[in-house]
Amino acid sequence: MDRKLLSNIYLFRDFSEAELEQVADIAELRRVGANTELFREGQRADSLLIIQFGSVQIAQAGDNNTVNLATLGSGAHFGEMSFLADEPRSATAQTLEDSQIVVISYERLHQVLGAHPATAVKFYRALAVFLAGRLRATSHDLNFARNRQRH
């Protein structure tokens, strides 16, 4: 696994070379064809994923339809919510084109972070800031939609 890719990912941007090497050692690169389901909503979660090349659609089943939550491209990561909450997947992820996906096992990541508390602090702080930004954007989108319904 290429440390350079990891250093460009928000979650790992403050990591030292040695810390990046520890994560690179547990990461696995998978080549995946277009329209391949990476995981399904409600499924047991076991890994954090990073798109090295390609694109992934994140969707959730609605009452009578599927709601597309996001389209992610190269450099994006996903699967971090289940890492924190130890809950099933909250959405389905499917590739939109031939893609290269970096897979980091939750179990192995927990081992690395548990053995290196300073690294864990960097990771969890970056994750908290990232998720706060995502929550802020979602709140903005909901407020915008609510205001549109009123007018």
Side-chain angles (χ1 to χ4, degrees):
M1 172 73 242
D2 183 13
R3 288 189 319 261
K4 178 122 175 84
L5 170 70
L6 290 175
S7 69
N8 290 323
I9 303 300
Y10 184 82
L11 296 177
F12 307 111
R13 72 176 185 186
D14 292 332
F15 279 31
S16 68
E17 284 296 317
E19 291 167 329
L20 289 171
E21 187 65 36
Q22 291 167 344
V23 176
D25 286 347
I26 63 169
E28 175 188 337
L29 181 63
R30 294 186 186 159
R31 297 183 196 295
V32 183
N35 302 312
T36 299
E37 187 176 278
L38 299 171
F39 55 76
R40 176 166 290 287
E41 182 178 350
Q43 193 175 52
R44 183 184 160 283
D46 63 0
S47 55
L48 173 72
L49 297 100
I50 301 167
I51 305 169
Q52 182 166 353
F53 297 110
S55 58
V56 172
Q57 179 72 52
I58 307 294
Q60 213 169 38
D63 291 335
N64 295 321
N65 59 355
T66 299
V67 177
N68 291 326
L69 301 176
T71 300
L72 306 175
S74 298
H77 57 83
F78 55 104
E80 63 281 324
M81 287 182 5
S82 294
F83 176 77
L84 287 174
D86 193 28
E87 293 181 357
R89 298 289 190 192
S90 62
T92 297
Q94 181 173 329
T95 58
L96 296 174
E97 59 187 318
D98 290 350
S99 300
Q100 293 181 19
I101 307 294
V102 177
V103 179
I104 302 174
S105 156
Y106 288 166
E107 181 181 345
R108 295 186 77 193
L109 184 56
H110 277 298
Q111 289 171 351
V112 167
L113 297 177
H116 305 279
T119 304
V121 169
K122 291 178 189 180
F123 179 80
Y124 286 115
R125 180 171 175 11
L127 186 55
V129 170
F130 173 80
L131 291 174
R134 185 184 286 169
L135 180 58
R136 187 175 296 110
T138 299
S139 297
H140 180 268
D141 291 347
L142 289 172
N143 190 37
F144 178 77
R146 190 175 323 129
N147 287 335
R148 281 190 61 196
Q149 287 179 336
R150 291 182 186 157
H151 296 109

